Each structure stands twice: as C-alpha cells, then as structure tokens.
Amino acid sequence: MTQGPKIAVCAARYAGYEVMSFIRDYPFPIDFAVTSHQDQSEYEKKISDICHDGGIECFRGIDVNDGDFVRLLREREIDLVVLAWWPSIVSKEAIEAVNIGWVNMHPSLLPYGRGKHPYYWSIVENNPFGVTLHFINERIDEGDILIQKEISVSISDTGETLYKKAVEANIRLFKDFYPKMVTLQIKPVAQSAAQATFHWAKDIDEHSRIDLGKDYKALDLINIIRGRTFIHGDSAFFMHEGKKFLIKTIIEEVNQ
C-alpha cells in the first residue's frame, strides 16, 4: 500500500460511531482511535467494540487536552486527527502537536453558524444552513474549510429536524471526503470573516424566552418556537405567574 498520512480519530456519539464503522472497513489503516471522557451515550462502548473488531487500537475516555495524550500525538508523529462529533474544545497545544492539522465535522455552513446551536440560529436569523469539514485552530470554528454541503431549510423544519439532517449530512460528507484525506488531496480555503455569525451556548436561552408582553411578527415568533423545538428535549419557554412553561410546535403542510 502507498504510504499515506498517519491518522488518529476522536469519535463520539452516533456520528462518531458511523465514522468509525466506515473507517474500519476502508482500505487504509489509521494509527489509533479514542473515545471521549464526556461521552455518556451508548455509542462510547460501541465505538470501542468497532475498533476491537477491526484491529484498531482504541484509547477510551480520553481528554484530548491532557498532557499524556498530547505527548502520544507527538510520539506517534500523527499527521491528521479527525474530530467526529467531538464534544470538547481542543487546546492550542494539542492542535500544534500534529503535523498537518485536526479535521472537524461542524453542523453549519461555515462561516455561518460558528459556535453553538447553529440549527436554531439558522432558522431565526434566516441564514444558509449546511455542514462543513474544516481544520480547527485556537479560535472557535474559524479554521479553513475543506469541504461543505448546503442543506435546504423549509418552513416546517424545527431545530430537531435540522440537527438530524446535519448529523446524517456530515457523515455522508466525511465519507465523500475521506479518500482525498488519506491521499492528502487537501485544498483548504479560508473563511469569509464578513459573512461570519457566532453564538455562545448561553445565547439560546435568552433569545428563545418568549416575553408575553412583547409584540412579535408572527413569523418571527413561529421561527423562535420551531427553531428551539426538540420533541423530547429543548424548547422555547415563557414565564407566567412565577412558573416556567415550555412551548413546542409541529408544522405540517396540507395538500389542498
């Protein structure tokens, strides 16, 4: 086999499991994989089992910013690290410990939707939505773009449906790009700072609190509610008589 880059994979949750299932069967050996110390889902063990079945060395419950892991990257002379739905921010020291870079799967059409909850902000800000593979740097979601795919947003989409679309689209995008990654056919493109949008995790609660005394345009209010709707999870809310009430929505098209 032609010599290629030394690759490590940081895999978490469902998307990480799907990525590792693909990599296990792909005819290119990776150096090792790791699971996250923050991944409490059923997929943490499934990722470990996938690696065991494929003869891939796997380190479980890893903090990638830990000094021992950073030393491992240097000792193994890793070229590329894949972040497959990784739940934590990577330190500058860890980023600089590899030869080429860290490739991240992000659920937005960068530079739109940097930071947290891009599916919500795409709906309420009416910005393009999609998925991106990009290099990371020490600033959040500002690294050069490798490949991306736009996802159309309909009036009936909710935050939950966009999130699910983004997960599946990111997995497909990674599979499409992986042959180029292992042959180093990589042509990163800088992001446009002029188009960038960014939100912290804390921003969503303040924005999706419905003020019962405020006037809203109907569409703006609908977008806040549907953007925050997860049927068995998060939602917009309002306060009434000292109590908190959650509000969700389902939008269905009717054929006439």
Side-chain angles (χ1 to χ4, degrees):
M1 180 179 294
T2 302
Q3 182 66 34
K6 297 189 72 175
I7 296 175
V9 180
C10 300
R13 303 186 178 122
Y14 165 74
Y17 169 77
E18 289 294 319
V19 163
M20 279 310 306
S21 298
F22 172 78
I23 288 175
R24 177 196 60 182
D25 298 329
Y26 194 86
F28 180 89
I30 66 169
D31 205 75
F32 63 85
V34 303
T35 66
S36 172
H37 69 298
Q38 295 180 345
D39 186 1
Q40 304 301 315
S41 74
E42 63 183 298
Y43 291 103
E44 191 278 333
K45 184 178 185 302
K46 289 184 177 182
I47 292 167
S48 174
D49 291 342
I50 283 277
C51 292
H52 181 268
D53 293 344
I56 299 170
E57 187 176 16
C58 181
F59 301 99
R60 297 181 66 179
I62 295 297
D63 175 357
V64 295
N65 298 319
D66 182 79
D68 288 339
F69 182 74
V70 174
R71 283 189 288 274
L72 176 66
L73 293 173
R74 293 195 179 105
E75 290 169 0
R76 297 287 184 95
E77 298 181 332
I78 298 299
D79 296 306
L80 292 165
V81 180
V82 174
L83 295 171
W85 227 253
W86 199 249
S88 58
I89 294 174
V90 182
S91 69
K92 182 178 180 181
E93 182 183 15
I95 292 171
E96 294 177 346
V98 304
N99 297 323
I100 298 175
W102 296 60
V103 177
N104 184 47
M105 301 168 65
H106 186 68
S108 84
L109 196 71
L110 293 174
Y112 300 105
R114 292 175 179 172
K116 297 293 288 184
H117 309 119
Y119 39 87
Y120 174 81
W121 296 107
S122 177
I123 288 175
V124 299
E125 295 177 340
N126 194 30
N127 286 327
F129 185 69
V131 293
T132 305
L133 296 185
H134 67 103
F135 279 130
I136 66 170
N137 56 30
E138 64 272 20
R139 294 176 296 277
I140 298 173
D141 300 329
E142 293 188 20
D144 292 351
I145 293 170
L146 297 169
I147 188 173
Q148 56 187 178
K149 177 73 172 178
E150 186 167 0
I151 297 173
S152 62
V153 181
S154 75
I155 189 64
S156 62
D157 272 313
T158 64
E160 183 170 28
T161 63
L162 285 190
Y163 175 83
K164 290 179 178 179
K165 287 179 182 180
V167 171
E168 296 300 335
N170 243 320
I171 293 168
R172 292 193 299 271
L173 192 68
F174 176 83
K175 292 178 180 180
D176 289 343
F177 183 73
Y178 195 64
K180 294 182 179 180
M181 186 185 303
V182 300
T183 54
L184 292 180
Q185 299 177 53
I186 297 174
K187 297 179 180 179
V189 176
Q191 296 188 37
S192 169
Q195 294 179 309
T197 64
F198 176 87
H199 292 281
W200 297 105
K202 64 182 180 181
D203 295 342
I204 194 171
D205 277 340
E206 180 179 354
H207 193 272
S208 61
R209 174 175 176 162
I210 306 301
D211 184 346
L212 298 182
K214 179 180 176 180
D215 291 332
Y216 293 85
K217 289 184 179 180
L219 183 58
D220 291 344
L221 183 57
I222 289 170
N223 285 344
I224 290 171
I225 297 171
R226 72 187 180 98
R228 194 76 201 271
T229 292
F230 279 67
I231 296 302
H232 299 294
D234 295 338
S235 71
F237 67 98
F238 61 87
M239 303 300 296
H240 181 64
E241 296 181 346
K243 298 179 181 179
K244 183 177 181 179
F245 294 84
L246 305 181
I247 180 169
K248 306 173 190 286
T249 188
I250 297 174
I251 301 174
E252 296 180 344
E253 181 180 0
V254 177
N255 294 322
Q256 298 185 8

